[in-house]
Each structure stands twice: as structure tokens, then as C-alpha cells.
Amino acid sequence: MKEQTIKVKINGKDREVYAGNAALLRFRRAGGDMALISQASEDSNNALFDSLDAIVKLICVNLVKKDLTPDEIADGVESMPELFNAAGVLLNQVPWLVGSKDKK
């Protein structure tokens, strides 16, 4: 079974990034902390930068072609919202994070 991927624009090129349960597992094994990603909505600048670092790590460890460093990813995205959107799309592929779409 082929693992699900998404496209993220880095340095003007569409890069393929794994998404789904295995992507989250890779992130956790690399020392990633989901709590840091959720801090993005806090008012603290430190929390925002911690979240950005975590999102960059999430993308870096899940690149299909592992040819970029975290710094190259952070510098290569066009905007911070694009980085957050990429993380959102990646995490939306994890069914148990998103929850059930069926309303009871």
C-alpha cells in the first residue's frame, strides 16, 4: 500500500511530503512534540516560534526526497501562513486527530 502524500511549495518547487499516521509516528520518533504544534494559537512569541520549529520538523522528517535541512525548509516557504497550512493539511490526513465526520 502506497503511503499518502501532500505537496508543499518550498523554494518555489512542489515537494512531496508524507501525510497520515506514519508521518505522525516519524515526527514523534524524531523527538517531535504535538503540544508544540498546538501552541501556535497562544499569544506568546516564544510559543509561536516553538510551533514553527515543530512544524518545520514535522515537514522535514516526512519529506519523500530527504534533501532539505530544517533551515532550508523554514527559509524556503513563501510565508508563515503557508507553513501552518501545510501542517494543517498533513495533520488532517490523520483520522483519529480529525475525528469522525459523521454527526449523530
Side-chain angles (χ1 to χ4, degrees):
M1 186 167 131
K2 187 174 190 262
E3 191 171 349
Q4 197 170 9
T5 61
I6 61 167
K7 300 280 186 187
V8 177
K9 191 172 281 295
I10 302 171
N11 292 328
K13 295 180 181 177
D14 281 336
R15 301 290 184 145
E16 214 172 3
V17 180
Y18 291 119
N21 287 325
L24 191 55
L25 182 60
R26 272 190 288 283
F27 173 66
R28 297 295 307 267
R29 284 185 178 160
D33 186 353
M34 288 299 297
L36 292 178
I37 291 176
S38 66
Q39 288 180 354
S41 61
E42 293 183 14
D43 292 333
S44 164
N45 281 340
N46 289 339
L48 178 62
F49 286 115
D50 288 344
S51 292
L52 288 171
D53 286 343
I55 291 168
V56 166
K57 182 178 226 169
L58 175 69
I59 292 170
C60 186
V61 300
N62 286 297
L63 283 169
V64 172
K65 189 175 179 185
K66 302 206 180 301
D67 60 348
L68 296 174
T69 65
D71 288 337
E72 290 172 322
I73 293 170
D75 294 339
V77 293
E78 294 180 7
S79 66
M80 277 198 278
E82 187 173 315
L83 190 62
F84 284 110
N85 287 341
V89 170
L90 193 153
L91 294 173
N92 277 336
Q93 305 306 312
V94 181
W96 58 268
L97 279 177
V98 178
S100 174
K101 293 183 181 185
D102 296 332
K103 292 186 179 183
K104 294 182 179 181

